[in-house]
Amino acid sequence: MPNPTAAMLVIGDEILSGRTRDANMHYLAGQLTEVGIDLKEVRVVSDDRDAIIAAVRALSGGYDHVFTSGGIGPTHDDITADCIAAAFKAHIDIRDDARALLQAHYDRSGLDLNDARLRMARIPDGATLIDNPVSTAPGFSLENVHVMAGVPSVFKAMVASVLPTLTGGAPLLSRTLRLMMGEGDIAAPLGVFAAEFPDLSVGSYPFQRDGSYGCNIVVRGSDATLLERAMTTLEARFPG
Amino acid sequence: MPNPTAAMLVIGDEILSGRTRDANMHYLAGQLTEVGIDLKEVRVVSDDRDAIIAAVRALSGGYDHVFTSGGIGPTHDDITADCIAAAFKAHIDIRDDARALLQAHYDRSGLDLNDARLRMARIPDGATLIDNPVSTAPGFSLENVHVMAGVPSVFKAMVASVLPTLTGGAPLLSRTLRLMMGEGDIAAPLGVFAAEFPDLSVGSYPFQRDGSYGCNIVVRGSDATLLERAMTTLEARFPG
């Protein structure tokens, strides 16, 4: 059975303006690879209602899972929760379970649960809360979309909360052969090799070190025996 | 007149598997902001012909410019040039101008311009070459799509080659006010402020330092006078 597929949607003007370097994509990609969910596409859109709704609908329809990051805080530019509700035509309002979490949290910290903070309790009907052990305000899963914070420490904590609830597949295994040869010199035999192992993915990633060209040949697949056989073949063809 | 819009398409299994952390998106975002081209969307897709063609068509139709990175080397997984040609139904083959560049380069290095390296001279009819001062093999622009390498040093050099040929708009200016207050405490007055300056974009980016909450309020726009007036207003409302 093929692995489940996934897409990620990163929401935030600060990424597109170059102010902030996104860190969540790389983290999620690694985590999904470990649990055998194939990340097939990532989109980054701005804090724009129409853009978010269109992307959520397209990705939700195209993949088994969608993971979003960003736009679930208390300020006016945090519109993700309402956009997800709109994408699925779900009703959204302050929900009692989320409000109770926030109330307890702010009671402990001696801060006021004001209207702005209460926005973080806006959760669509039918959604399941995602635990946030870092700063309490929860994420949520609605249909096949998992809505998480953009702050990297909170994003990571939410990924750790939601991934164990999903059914993964065979973890993608990866082996690398490092060659101190230019890609142009190995491309032909590498193409032959890739064609001989159609169930594996074979990538070539060039680098330059101290003026010499090299490349990392990365072979990926979920069948450990097949991968081992492929690497033995590859090493025999590119000895040394 | 509004600024031209742009999208970026990052092509490569290695990003989606978490093996490689993309660096080109952040770089391009910063460069486009400086020349007044608004980056509206980024997509990352795998080395898959149908996925690349569909993304190129969608983004080319939706934005003034599309910038791609990745998949233009000599190996079997480098399929970007052929996919771009297919997306625009353009003919593609080894082109004399690109072959001449490569021939001169490999003659200088004493290397053989073999069939694999010649693949890097596959350029669609009607495309304009993009200069590559790092490793010679050119990128190209076809219609409104600018096709560049994934290796960060080469990507940067190609961006430097292509951006001066495009008409930008007013550079996006950005000012930041750093507040040692939680987002929940400033969200209400910040929302009022944002509504008073509809021609500016107002973002709030929270952080935690030494156990205290703070946030950076980032105000962006292309009108320097308006931005100055907004910052004076903002500083008066959040003194200290």
Side-chain angles (χ1 to χ4, degrees):
Chain A
M1 209 174 67
N3 283 354
T5 60
M8 179 182 190
L9 179 62
V10 178
I11 297 160
D13 289 347
E14 72 278 19
I15 310 288
L16 293 172
S17 74
R19 180 183 176 275
T20 302
R21 185 189 292 265
D22 166 70
N24 295 332
M25 177 168 86
H26 182 67
Y27 179 76
L28 181 67
Q31 293 293 305
L32 291 177
T33 294
E34 280 187 21
V35 299
I37 295 177
D38 293 348
L39 182 61
K40 293 291 195 184
E41 180 172 350
V42 179
R43 294 192 191 181
V44 186
V45 298
S46 66
D47 301 320
D48 176 89
R49 185 176 164 90
D50 293 342
I52 297 169
I53 292 174
V56 166
R57 286 185 177 153
L59 296 176
S60 169
Y63 302 99
D64 294 325
H65 293 288
V66 181
F67 300 87
T68 80
S69 82
I72 63 168
T75 56
H76 65 283
D77 53 341
D78 291 307
I79 60 174
T80 299
D82 283 75
C83 292
I84 302 288
F88 290 109
K89 301 189 195 304
H91 177 256
I92 183 168
D93 204 344
I94 292 165
R95 227 170 71 172
D96 288 344
D97 51 353
R99 178 210 287 263
L101 289 172
L102 292 174
Q103 187 72 62
H105 172 71
Y106 287 109
D107 284 352
R108 278 194 303 274
S109 2
L111 291 170
D112 179 31
L113 180 52
N114 58 21
D115 285 348
R117 292 187 172 115
L118 262 179
R119 285 194 66 210
M120 295 189 286
R122 288 180 69 79
I123 304 284
D125 286 359
T128 307
L129 299 187
I130 296 175
D131 188 35
N132 169 8
V134 173
S135 53
T136 304
F140 63 85
S141 298
L142 181 63
E143 306 274 345
N144 63 343
V145 180
H146 311 288
V147 177
M148 299 179 286
V151 175
S153 60
V154 183
F155 181 80
K156 285 184 185 184
M158 288 184 173
V159 168
S161 297
V162 79
L163 278 194
T165 70
L166 307 179
T167 304
L172 189 65
L173 307 172
S174 165
R175 292 278 304 273
T176 299
L177 181 65
R178 182 185 166 92
L179 295 175
M180 285 314 298
M181 301 168 76
E183 274 198 308
D185 286 320
I186 57 130
L190 189 66
V192 171
F193 167 79
E196 286 170 17
F197 291 92
D199 291 338
L200 300 175
S201 123
V202 180
S204 168
Y205 306 104
F207 61 82
Q208 208 176 347
R209 204 74 84 234
D210 304 328
S212 297
Y213 288 97
C215 52
N216 286 307
I217 309 302
V218 181
V219 186
R220 300 184 193 88
S222 48
D223 180 334
T225 311
L226 182 64
L227 190 59
E228 204 54 45
R229 189 153 58 80
M231 291 311 289
T232 305
T233 305
L234 191 63
E235 285 158 11
R237 295 205 190 152
F238 298 102
Chain B
M1 208 172 69
N3 282 355
T5 59
M8 180 181 188
L9 178 62
V10 179
I11 297 160
D13 289 347
E14 71 277 21
I15 310 288
L16 293 172
S17 73
R19 179 182 176 275
T20 301
R21 183 189 294 264
D22 167 71
N24 296 331
M25 176 167 89
H26 181 67
Y27 179 76
L28 182 67
Q31 293 292 304
L32 292 178
T33 294
E34 280 188 21
V35 300
I37 296 177
D38 294 348
L39 182 62
K40 293 291 195 184
E41 180 171 350
V42 178
R43 294 193 191 180
V44 187
V45 298
S46 65
D47 302 320
D48 176 89
R49 185 178 164 87
D50 293 342
I52 296 170
I53 293 173
V56 166
R57 286 185 176 152
L59 297 176
S60 169
Y63 303 99
D64 295 323
H65 294 287
V66 180
F67 301 87
T68 80
S69 83
I72 62 168
T75 56
H76 66 283
D77 53 341
D78 291 307
I79 60 174
T80 298
D82 283 75
C83 293
I84 303 289
F88 290 109
K89 301 189 196 306
H91 177 256
I92 184 169
D93 203 343
I94 293 166
R95 228 170 69 174
D96 289 343
D97 52 352
R99 177 210 287 262
L101 289 172
L102 293 174
Q103 186 72 64
H105 172 71
Y106 288 109
D107 284 352
R108 277 194 304 273
S109 2
L111 291 171
D112 180 31
L113 179 53
N114 59 21
D115 285 349
R117 293 189 171 114
L118 261 180
R119 284 194 66 210
M120 296 190 285
R122 287 180 69 80
I123 304 284
D125 286 358
T128 307
L129 300 186
I130 296 176
D131 188 35
N132 168 7
V134 173
S135 53
T136 304
F140 63 84
S141 298
L142 181 63
E143 307 274 343
N144 62 345
V145 181
H146 312 287
V147 177
M148 298 179 288
V151 175
S153 60
V154 183
F155 181 80
K156 285 185 186 183
M158 288 183 172
V159 169
S161 298
V162 79
L163 277 195
T165 71
L166 307 178
T167 304
L172 189 66
L173 307 172
S174 165
R175 292 278 304 272
T176 299
L177 181 66
R178 184 185 164 92
L179 295 174
M180 285 312 299
M181 303 168 73
E183 275 198 308
D185 287 319
I186 58 132
L190 188 67
V192 171
F193 166 79
E196 286 170 16
F197 291 92
D199 292 337
L200 300 175
S201 125
V202 181
S204 168
Y205 306 104
F207 61 82
Q208 207 175 347
R209 204 73 84 233
D210 304 328
S212 296
Y213 288 97
C215 52
N216 285 307
I217 309 303
V218 180
V219 186
R220 298 184 195 90
S222 48
D223 181 334
T225 311
L226 181 66
L227 190 59
E228 205 54 45
R229 189 154 58 80
M231 291 311 290
T232 306
T233 304
L234 191 64
E235 284 158 11
R237 295 207 190 149
F238 298 102

